[in-house]
Short mmCIF file of all heavy atoms in Angstrom, two decimals:
data_model
loop_
_atom_site.label_atom_id
_atom_site.label_comp_id
_atom_site.label_asym_id
_atom_site.label_seq_id
_atom_site.Cartn_x
_atom_site.Cartn_y
_atom_site.Cartn_z
N GLU A 34 69.19 109.70 173.15
CA GLU A 34 68.94 110.84 172.26
C GLU A 34 68.26 111.94 173.06
O GLU A 34 67.49 111.67 173.98
CB GLU A 34 68.10 110.37 171.07
CG GLU A 34 66.66 110.73 171.06
CD GLU A 34 65.84 110.06 169.97
OE1 GLU A 34 66.31 109.94 168.83
OE2 GLU A 34 64.73 109.64 170.27
N ALA A 35 68.59 113.18 172.75
CA ALA A 35 67.99 114.31 173.43
C ALA A 35 66.51 114.37 173.08
O ALA A 35 66.09 113.98 171.99
CB ALA A 35 68.68 115.60 173.01
N GLY A 36 65.72 114.89 174.03
CA GLY A 36 64.29 114.99 173.81
C GLY A 36 63.92 116.28 173.11
O GLY A 36 64.78 117.02 172.63
N VAL A 37 62.62 116.55 173.08
CA VAL A 37 62.12 117.80 172.53
C VAL A 37 62.27 118.88 173.60
O VAL A 37 61.77 118.72 174.72
CB VAL A 37 60.64 117.66 172.12
CG1 VAL A 37 60.09 119.01 171.68
CG2 VAL A 37 60.50 116.61 171.02
N ALA A 38 62.97 119.94 173.25
CA ALA A 38 63.21 121.02 174.21
C ALA A 38 62.23 122.16 173.99
O ALA A 38 61.97 122.55 172.85
CB ALA A 38 64.64 121.53 174.06
N GLN A 39 61.68 122.65 175.08
CA GLN A 39 60.78 123.80 175.02
C GLN A 39 61.20 124.83 176.04
O GLN A 39 61.68 124.49 177.12
CB GLN A 39 59.33 123.39 175.32
CG GLN A 39 58.68 122.57 174.23
CD GLN A 39 57.21 122.37 174.49
OE1 GLN A 39 56.76 121.27 174.76
NE2 GLN A 39 56.44 123.46 174.38
N SER A 40 60.97 126.09 175.70
CA SER A 40 61.19 127.16 176.67
C SER A 40 60.26 128.32 176.36
O SER A 40 59.82 128.49 175.21
CB SER A 40 62.65 127.63 176.64
OG SER A 40 62.94 128.27 175.42
N PRO A 41 59.91 129.10 177.39
CA PRO A 41 60.20 128.86 178.79
C PRO A 41 59.31 127.76 179.36
O PRO A 41 58.41 127.28 178.67
CB PRO A 41 59.86 130.21 179.42
CG PRO A 41 58.73 130.74 178.57
CD PRO A 41 59.06 130.31 177.17
N ARG A 42 59.52 127.35 180.58
CA ARG A 42 58.65 126.36 181.23
C ARG A 42 57.37 127.01 181.72
O ARG A 42 56.30 126.39 181.68
CB ARG A 42 59.36 125.69 182.41
CG ARG A 42 60.41 124.67 182.04
CD ARG A 42 59.84 123.50 181.23
NE ARG A 42 58.73 122.82 181.87
CZ ARG A 42 58.84 121.82 182.75
NH1 ARG A 42 60.04 121.39 183.10
NH2 ARG A 42 57.78 121.26 183.27
N TYR A 43 57.48 128.22 182.18
CA TYR A 43 56.32 128.94 182.72
C TYR A 43 56.37 130.38 182.23
O TYR A 43 57.44 130.96 182.05
CB TYR A 43 56.34 128.95 184.26
CG TYR A 43 56.43 127.59 184.88
CD1 TYR A 43 57.66 127.06 185.24
CD2 TYR A 43 55.29 126.82 185.09
CE1 TYR A 43 57.75 125.80 185.80
CE2 TYR A 43 55.38 125.56 185.65
CZ TYR A 43 56.60 125.06 186.00
OH TYR A 43 56.69 123.81 186.56
N LYS A 44 55.16 130.96 182.04
CA LYS A 44 55.07 132.35 181.64
C LYS A 44 53.76 132.91 182.16
O LYS A 44 52.70 132.29 181.99
CB LYS A 44 55.13 132.46 180.11
CG LYS A 44 55.28 133.86 179.58
CD LYS A 44 56.67 134.39 179.77
CE LYS A 44 56.84 135.77 179.15
NZ LYS A 44 58.20 136.30 179.36
N ILE A 45 53.86 134.07 182.79
CA ILE A 45 52.66 134.78 183.24
C ILE A 45 52.65 136.13 182.55
O ILE A 45 53.64 136.87 182.63
CB ILE A 45 52.64 134.96 184.77
CG1 ILE A 45 52.70 133.60 185.48
CG2 ILE A 45 51.41 135.74 185.22
CD1 ILE A 45 52.83 133.68 186.98
N ILE A 46 51.55 136.45 181.87
CA ILE A 46 51.44 137.74 181.20
C ILE A 46 50.06 138.31 181.46
O ILE A 46 49.14 137.61 181.86
CB ILE A 46 51.68 137.63 179.67
CG1 ILE A 46 50.62 136.72 179.03
CG2 ILE A 46 53.09 137.14 179.38
CD1 ILE A 46 50.67 136.74 177.51
N GLU A 47 49.93 139.61 181.18
CA GLU A 47 48.63 140.25 181.28
C GLU A 47 47.92 140.13 179.94
O GLU A 47 48.57 140.04 178.88
CB GLU A 47 48.79 141.71 181.69
CG GLU A 47 49.37 141.87 183.08
CD GLU A 47 49.46 143.32 183.49
OE1 GLU A 47 49.26 144.20 182.64
OE2 GLU A 47 49.75 143.57 184.68
N LYS A 48 46.59 140.14 180.00
CA LYS A 48 45.83 140.08 178.74
C LYS A 48 46.22 141.26 177.86
O LYS A 48 46.58 142.33 178.34
CB LYS A 48 44.33 140.04 179.00
CG LYS A 48 43.78 141.22 179.74
CD LYS A 48 42.29 141.00 180.01
CE LYS A 48 41.73 142.18 180.79
NZ LYS A 48 40.31 141.98 181.15
N ARG A 49 46.16 141.00 176.58
CA ARG A 49 46.53 141.94 175.51
C ARG A 49 48.04 142.04 175.30
O ARG A 49 48.46 142.69 174.33
CB ARG A 49 45.93 143.33 175.73
CG ARG A 49 44.40 143.35 175.57
CD ARG A 49 43.88 144.77 175.61
NE ARG A 49 43.97 145.35 176.94
CZ ARG A 49 43.06 145.19 177.88
NH1 ARG A 49 41.99 144.47 177.66
NH2 ARG A 49 43.21 145.77 179.07
N GLN A 50 48.84 141.41 176.16
CA GLN A 50 50.27 141.36 175.89
C GLN A 50 50.58 140.28 174.87
O GLN A 50 49.70 139.47 174.52
CB GLN A 50 51.05 141.10 177.18
CG GLN A 50 51.13 142.30 178.10
CD GLN A 50 52.06 142.04 179.29
OE1 GLN A 50 52.12 140.94 179.84
NE2 GLN A 50 52.78 143.08 179.68
N SER A 51 51.80 140.25 174.40
CA SER A 51 52.21 139.21 173.46
C SER A 51 53.19 138.27 174.16
O SER A 51 53.82 138.62 175.17
CB SER A 51 52.86 139.83 172.22
OG SER A 51 54.03 140.53 172.60
N VAL A 52 53.30 137.06 173.61
CA VAL A 52 54.19 136.05 174.19
C VAL A 52 54.65 135.12 173.08
O VAL A 52 53.95 134.94 172.06
CB VAL A 52 53.44 135.25 175.30
CG1 VAL A 52 52.28 134.47 174.74
CG2 VAL A 52 54.40 134.36 176.06
N ALA A 53 55.83 134.55 173.26
CA ALA A 53 56.36 133.62 172.27
C ALA A 53 56.95 132.41 172.98
O ALA A 53 57.55 132.53 174.06
CB ALA A 53 57.44 134.30 171.42
N PHE A 54 56.76 131.27 172.36
CA PHE A 54 57.28 130.01 172.88
C PHE A 54 58.23 129.42 171.84
O PHE A 54 58.00 129.56 170.63
CB PHE A 54 56.15 129.01 173.15
CG PHE A 54 54.99 129.56 173.88
CD1 PHE A 54 53.71 129.44 173.38
CD2 PHE A 54 55.15 130.22 175.09
CE1 PHE A 54 52.62 129.95 174.06
CE2 PHE A 54 54.08 130.74 175.78
CZ PHE A 54 52.80 130.60 175.25
N TRP A 55 59.21 128.70 172.34
CA TRP A 55 60.23 128.13 171.45
C TRP A 55 60.28 126.62 171.60
O TRP A 55 60.07 126.09 172.71
CB TRP A 55 61.58 128.76 171.80
CG TRP A 55 62.74 128.16 171.09
CD1 TRP A 55 63.17 128.44 169.83
CD2 TRP A 55 63.65 127.17 171.60
NE1 TRP A 55 64.29 127.70 169.52
CE2 TRP A 55 64.61 126.91 170.59
CE3 TRP A 55 63.74 126.48 172.81
CZ2 TRP A 55 65.64 126.01 170.76
CZ3 TRP A 55 64.77 125.58 172.98
CH2 TRP A 55 65.71 125.35 171.96
N CYS A 56 60.54 125.94 170.49
CA CYS A 56 60.63 124.49 170.51
C CYS A 56 61.79 124.03 169.64
O CYS A 56 61.95 124.50 168.50
CB CYS A 56 59.33 123.87 169.98
SG CYS A 56 59.41 122.06 169.76
N ASN A 57 62.59 123.12 170.16
CA ASN A 57 63.65 122.48 169.40
C ASN A 57 63.36 121.00 169.34
O ASN A 57 63.40 120.31 170.38
CB ASN A 57 65.01 122.74 170.06
CG ASN A 57 66.15 122.06 169.31
OD1 ASN A 57 66.84 121.20 169.85
ND2 ASN A 57 66.35 122.44 168.08
N PRO A 58 63.02 120.46 168.17
CA PRO A 58 62.61 119.06 168.09
C PRO A 58 63.80 118.11 168.12
O PRO A 58 64.96 118.52 168.14
CB PRO A 58 61.93 118.99 166.72
CG PRO A 58 62.67 120.01 165.90
CD PRO A 58 63.00 121.12 166.87
N ILE A 59 63.51 116.84 168.12
CA ILE A 59 64.56 115.83 168.05
C ILE A 59 65.24 115.92 166.68
O ILE A 59 64.56 116.08 165.66
CB ILE A 59 63.98 114.43 168.30
CG1 ILE A 59 63.59 114.30 169.77
CG2 ILE A 59 64.96 113.34 167.90
CD1 ILE A 59 62.95 112.99 170.13
N SER A 60 66.53 115.81 166.69
CA SER A 60 67.30 115.93 165.46
C SER A 60 66.82 114.90 164.43
O SER A 60 66.68 113.71 164.73
CB SER A 60 68.78 115.70 165.76
OG SER A 60 69.54 115.75 164.58
N GLY A 61 66.54 115.40 163.23
CA GLY A 61 66.11 114.51 162.17
C GLY A 61 64.61 114.33 162.04
O GLY A 61 64.13 113.74 161.07
N HIS A 62 63.86 114.82 163.02
CA HIS A 62 62.41 114.71 162.95
C HIS A 62 61.86 115.82 162.05
O HIS A 62 61.90 116.99 162.39
CB HIS A 62 61.79 114.82 164.35
CG HIS A 62 61.85 113.54 165.12
ND1 HIS A 62 61.13 113.34 166.28
CD2 HIS A 62 62.54 112.39 164.89
CE1 HIS A 62 61.38 112.13 166.73
NE2 HIS A 62 62.23 111.54 165.92
N ALA A 63 61.30 115.42 160.92
CA ALA A 63 60.83 116.40 159.96
C ALA A 63 59.47 116.99 160.34
O ALA A 63 59.12 118.08 159.91
CB ALA A 63 60.72 115.77 158.57
N THR A 64 58.71 116.27 161.14
CA THR A 64 57.35 116.72 161.46
C THR A 64 57.33 117.31 162.87
O THR A 64 57.85 116.70 163.81
CB THR A 64 56.36 115.55 161.37
OG1 THR A 64 56.53 114.89 160.11
CG2 THR A 64 54.93 116.06 161.48
N LEU A 65 56.75 118.48 162.99
CA LEU A 65 56.68 119.18 164.27
C LEU A 65 55.25 119.64 164.50
O LEU A 65 54.56 120.08 163.57
CB LEU A 65 57.63 120.37 164.26
CG LEU A 65 57.77 121.18 165.57
CD1 LEU A 65 59.20 121.71 165.72
CD2 LEU A 65 56.77 122.31 165.66
N TYR A 66 54.79 119.50 165.73
CA TYR A 66 53.41 119.82 166.10
C TYR A 66 53.41 120.78 167.30
O TYR A 66 54.25 120.66 168.20
CB TYR A 66 52.65 118.57 166.53
CG TYR A 66 52.81 117.36 165.66
CD1 TYR A 66 53.94 116.55 165.77
CD2 TYR A 66 51.82 116.99 164.76
CE1 TYR A 66 54.09 115.42 164.99
CE2 TYR A 66 51.96 115.85 163.97
CZ TYR A 66 53.09 115.07 164.09
OH TYR A 66 53.23 113.94 163.32
N TRP A 67 52.43 121.66 167.32
CA TRP A 67 52.10 122.44 168.52
C TRP A 67 50.68 122.06 168.94
O TRP A 67 49.74 122.12 168.14
CB TRP A 67 52.14 123.94 168.23
CG TRP A 67 53.51 124.53 168.15
CD1 TRP A 67 54.21 124.85 167.02
CD2 TRP A 67 54.35 124.91 169.26
NE1 TRP A 67 55.43 125.40 167.35
CE2 TRP A 67 55.54 125.44 168.71
CE3 TRP A 67 54.22 124.85 170.64
CZ2 TRP A 67 56.59 125.91 169.50
CZ3 TRP A 67 55.25 125.33 171.42
CH2 TRP A 67 56.42 125.84 170.86
N TYR A 68 50.56 121.68 170.21
CA TYR A 68 49.27 121.35 170.79
C TYR A 68 48.98 122.33 171.94
O TYR A 68 49.88 122.76 172.65
CB TYR A 68 49.25 119.93 171.36
CG TYR A 68 49.12 118.83 170.35
CD1 TYR A 68 50.21 118.38 169.62
CD2 TYR A 68 47.89 118.23 170.12
CE1 TYR A 68 50.08 117.37 168.69
CE2 TYR A 68 47.75 117.20 169.19
CZ TYR A 68 48.85 116.78 168.48
OH TYR A 68 48.71 115.76 167.57
N GLN A 69 47.70 122.61 172.14
CA GLN A 69 47.25 123.42 173.27
C GLN A 69 46.49 122.50 174.23
O GLN A 69 45.57 121.79 173.81
CB GLN A 69 46.33 124.54 172.79
CG GLN A 69 45.79 125.43 173.91
CD GLN A 69 44.67 126.33 173.41
OE1 GLN A 69 43.67 125.85 172.88
NE2 GLN A 69 44.84 127.64 173.57
N GLN A 70 46.89 122.50 175.50
CA GLN A 70 46.21 121.69 176.50
C GLN A 70 45.63 122.59 177.59
O GLN A 70 46.37 123.06 178.46
CB GLN A 70 47.16 120.66 177.11
CG GLN A 70 46.49 119.70 178.06
CD GLN A 70 47.44 118.66 178.63
OE1 GLN A 70 48.66 118.72 178.42
NE2 GLN A 70 46.91 117.70 179.35
N ILE A 71 44.34 122.82 177.51
CA ILE A 71 43.65 123.59 178.53
C ILE A 71 43.39 122.70 179.73
O ILE A 71 43.13 121.50 179.57
CB ILE A 71 42.35 124.18 177.96
CG1 ILE A 71 42.69 125.22 176.89
CG2 ILE A 71 41.47 124.78 179.05
CD1 ILE A 71 41.51 125.75 176.12
N LEU A 72 43.44 123.26 180.92
CA LEU A 72 43.29 122.49 182.15
C LEU A 72 42.01 121.65 182.12
O LEU A 72 40.92 122.16 181.83
CB LEU A 72 43.25 123.45 183.35
CG LEU A 72 43.23 122.80 184.73
CD1 LEU A 72 44.54 122.04 184.98
CD2 LEU A 72 43.00 123.84 185.81
N GLY A 73 42.17 120.35 182.37
CA GLY A 73 41.01 119.46 182.40
C GLY A 73 40.61 118.92 181.04
O GLY A 73 39.63 118.18 180.94
N GLN A 74 41.36 119.28 180.01
CA GLN A 74 41.06 118.80 178.67
C GLN A 74 42.27 118.09 178.07
O GLN A 74 43.39 118.23 178.55
CB GLN A 74 40.66 119.97 177.75
CG GLN A 74 39.43 120.72 178.22
CD GLN A 74 39.09 121.87 177.28
OE1 GLN A 74 39.51 121.89 176.12
NE2 GLN A 74 38.31 122.82 177.77
N GLY A 75 42.01 117.34 177.01
CA GLY A 75 43.11 116.73 176.30
C GLY A 75 43.77 117.71 175.36
O GLY A 75 43.16 118.73 174.99
N PRO A 76 45.00 117.45 174.96
CA PRO A 76 45.68 118.34 174.01
C PRO A 76 44.91 118.44 172.69
O PRO A 76 44.32 117.46 172.24
CB PRO A 76 47.03 117.67 173.80
CG PRO A 76 47.24 116.81 175.01
CD PRO A 76 45.87 116.34 175.38
N LYS A 77 44.96 119.64 172.11
CA LYS A 77 44.31 119.90 170.83
C LYS A 77 45.36 120.45 169.87
O LYS A 77 46.10 121.38 170.21
CB LYS A 77 43.18 120.92 171.01
CG LYS A 77 42.43 121.26 169.73
CD LYS A 77 41.43 122.37 169.96
CE LYS A 77 42.11 123.73 170.01
NZ LYS A 77 41.13 124.84 170.06
N LEU A 78 45.41 119.87 168.66
CA LEU A 78 46.41 120.32 167.69
C LEU A 78 46.15 121.74 167.25
O LEU A 78 45.03 122.08 166.84
CB LEU A 78 46.40 119.40 166.46
CG LEU A 78 47.42 119.77 165.38
CD1 LEU A 78 48.84 119.45 165.84
CD2 LEU A 78 47.12 119.06 164.06
N LEU A 79 47.19 122.58 167.30
CA LEU A 79 47.09 123.93 166.76
C LEU A 79 47.67 123.98 165.35
O LEU A 79 47.06 124.55 164.44
CB LEU A 79 47.86 124.91 167.65
CG LEU A 79 47.27 125.19 169.03
CD1 LEU A 79 48.20 126.10 169.82
CD2 LEU A 79 45.89 125.82 168.90
N ILE A 80 48.85 123.40 165.17
CA ILE A 80 49.50 123.48 163.87
C ILE A 80 50.48 122.33 163.73
O ILE A 80 51.07 121.88 164.71
CB ILE A 80 50.20 124.84 163.68
CG1 ILE A 80 50.71 125.01 162.25
CG2 ILE A 80 51.34 125.02 164.69
CD1 ILE A 80 51.10 126.45 161.91
N GLN A 81 50.61 121.84 162.49
CA GLN A 81 51.54 120.76 162.15
C GLN A 81 52.42 121.22 161.00
O GLN A 81 51.91 121.72 159.98
CB GLN A 81 50.78 119.50 161.76
CG GLN A 81 51.67 118.36 161.28
CD GLN A 81 50.87 117.18 160.76
OE1 GLN A 81 49.69 117.03 161.05
NE2 GLN A 81 51.53 116.33 159.98
N PHE A 82 53.72 121.07 161.17
CA PHE A 82 54.69 121.39 160.12
C PHE A 82 55.31 120.10 159.59
O PHE A 82 55.58 119.16 160.34
CB PHE A 82 55.85 122.23 160.68
CG PHE A 82 55.49 123.63 161.08
CD1 PHE A 82 55.18 123.93 162.39
CD2 PHE A 82 55.50 124.65 160.14
CE1 PHE A 82 54.88 125.23 162.77
CE2 PHE A 82 55.21 125.95 160.51
CZ PHE A 82 54.88 126.24 161.82
N GLN A 83 55.57 120.09 158.30
CA GLN A 83 56.41 119.07 157.69
C GLN A 83 57.59 119.84 157.09
O GLN A 83 57.41 120.60 156.14
CB GLN A 83 55.65 118.32 156.59
CG GLN A 83 56.43 117.21 155.96
CD GLN A 83 56.34 115.90 156.76
OE1 GLN A 83 55.67 115.83 157.77
NE2 GLN A 83 57.00 114.88 156.27
N ASN A 84 58.76 119.66 157.68
CA ASN A 84 59.91 120.51 157.36
C ASN A 84 59.50 121.98 157.57
O ASN A 84 59.06 122.34 158.65
CB ASN A 84 60.43 120.22 155.96
CG ASN A 84 60.96 118.80 155.85
OD1 ASN A 84 61.77 118.37 156.68
ND2 ASN A 84 60.50 118.04 154.87
N ASN A 85 59.62 122.82 156.53
CA ASN A 85 59.24 124.23 156.71
C ASN A 85 57.77 124.49 156.45
O ASN A 85 57.28 125.57 156.80
CB ASN A 85 60.04 125.11 155.73
CG ASN A 85 61.50 125.16 156.07
OD1 ASN A 85 61.90 124.82 157.18
ND2 ASN A 85 62.31 125.58 155.11
N GLY A 86 57.09 123.56 155.82
CA GLY A 86 55.74 123.82 155.36
C GLY A 86 54.66 123.43 156.36
O GLY A 86 54.82 122.50 157.13
N VAL A 87 53.55 124.17 156.30
CA VAL A 87 52.41 123.91 157.17
C VAL A 87 51.52 122.83 156.56
O VAL A 87 51.11 122.94 155.41
CB VAL A 87 51.58 125.20 157.39
CG1 VAL A 87 50.32 124.89 158.19
CG2 VAL A 87 52.42 126.25 158.09
N VAL A 88 51.26 121.77 157.32
CA VAL A 88 50.40 120.69 156.86
C VAL A 88 48.96 120.90 157.31
O VAL A 88 48.01 120.66 156.56
CB VAL A 88 50.92 119.33 157.38
CG1 VAL A 88 49.95 118.21 157.03
CG2 VAL A 88 52.31 119.05 156.83
N ASP A 89 48.80 121.35 158.55
CA ASP A 89 47.45 121.52 159.13
C ASP A 89 47.50 122.66 160.12
O ASP A 89 48.24 122.58 161.10
CB ASP A 89 47.02 120.22 159.80
CG ASP A 89 45.58 120.25 160.34
OD1 ASP A 89 44.98 121.34 160.40
OD2 ASP A 89 45.07 119.18 160.72
N ASP A 90 46.74 123.69 159.87
CA ASP A 90 46.59 124.79 160.84
C ASP A 90 45.12 125.15 160.99
O ASP A 90 44.77 126.29 161.29
CB ASP A 90 47.44 126.00 160.48
CG ASP A 90 47.02 126.65 159.16
OD1 ASP A 90 46.12 126.11 158.49
OD2 ASP A 90 47.60 127.69 158.80
#
Side-chain angles (χ1 to χ4, degrees):
Chain A
E34 104 189 319
V37 175
Q39 289 189 248
S40 67
R42 285 300 305 273
Y43 305 95
K44 190 74 176 179
I45 301 174
I46 62 171
E47 295 183 350
K48 60 184 179 184
R49 292 188 289 275
Q50 285 187 323
S51 63
V52 64
F54 314 126
W55 173 82
C56 173
N57 178 241
I59 289 178
S60 177
H62 279 193
T64 309
L65 184 146
Y66 315 80
W67 284 102
Y68 283 81
Q69 179 192 57
Q70 185 178 7
I71 293 172
L72 186 65
Q74 300 180 20
K77 180 186 78 173
L78 180 71
L79 291 176
I80 189 166
Q81 176 186 341
F82 291 95
Q83 183 85 1
N84 296 310
N85 291 343
V87 175
V88 174
D89 184 349
D90 64 356

